Amino acid sequence: MWQIGIADFIEICPRITGERWRLINHDVKDGKVILGDRRMGSQQQLARLLRERIKEQIMADALRRMTEVTDDLAVRLAEAVGMATTLIQQASSERLELSGVEQDDWPPCMRKAVRELEAGINVNHFGRLFLASISATIGLTEETCAGFFVNAPDYNPETTSYQIGHVFSRAYTPAGCAKLKLNACCAVQPGDDRLCDQPWLDHPMKYLRSQQRWRMRDAAAKADEEDSVGQSDASSEGQTS
Ligand code: SF4
């Protein structure tokens, strides 16, 4: 069980979101905050705090070094900086797109894993790894992902948090359909789902992106329809008057 000085805790935690990082939700003994709660183990919390502290030091170091960049160095670095900026922008626009994922967009294999865990049915290791990695990829929080496992028959909050933290920090790529089928984690048979039946559908992320595109197209078509109804109402009112 790890403990941390109260001053350090108060200094680091405001930058971390979530109720579990508030002092009021921790026991304090002899000026030390006892880390760990039902969902997140003591070691996990310590690791998260250390990560925040390291990030802060890297930022401070980077800001200090920026003051040392001369005009000449800035010109020489321009190309590399431009490339890095483009890559970061691409990654964040992809994340933004994925943060709009709705539950209806989830592929059947993901919904099956969540449903089974909720019902207290054992999901095999492959299925659990898949659920954690796809949750991370689509931008769900570690807490939301941990919540999927609460009813698992062998649920242990510490182990679950540790393993989920591990998957999220390593950014594992979710398994493709072939491996999911091989490990009994696919949720459909031929004819069950029009998308899963498509010959090009070989990865659950393709399912998800396709659903998203359909949803957006539907929303745009509906908006167009409402616009044209509004315009024809206005013109018929004009004719009547
Ligand atoms: S075909 Fe692929 S996307 Fe569809 S349920 Fe099976 S594993 Fe998931």
Side-chain angles (χ1 to χ4, degrees), residues 107-110 130 175-178 180-181 185-188 193 195-197 201-205 207:
C109 40
M110 180 181 180
F130 165 69
C177 297
L180 287 161
K181 284 177 205 275
C185 298
C186 174
V188 298
D193 186 293
L195 257 183
C196 291
D197 281 342
L201 199 288
D202 56 5
H203 198 284
M205 288 303 293
Y207 185 102

Side-chain angles (χ1 to χ4, degrees), residues 147-164:
F148 294 146
F149 292 85
V150 173
N151 287 341
D154 53 352
Y155 178 65
N156 174 311
E158 296 218 341
T159 316
T160 304
S161 292
Y162 175 77
Q163 289 173 341
I164 288 174

Side-chain angles (χ1 to χ4, degrees), residues 95-140:
R95 266 202 305 275
L96 252 185
E97 196 187 313
L98 283 172
S99 65
V101 170
E102 291 185 4
Q103 209 159 328
D104 288 344
D105 301 333
W106 293 1
C109 40
M110 180 181 180
R111 277 184 266 140
K112 165 179 145 77
V114 172
R115 213 174 38 238
E116 289 184 348
L117 285 166
E118 252 170 24
I121 298 169
N122 195 29
V123 170
N124 65 24
H125 173 73
F126 197 88
R128 291 176 185 218
L129 179 61
F130 165 69
L131 181 56
S133 55
I134 197 165
S135 299
T137 308
I138 68 175
L140 298 184

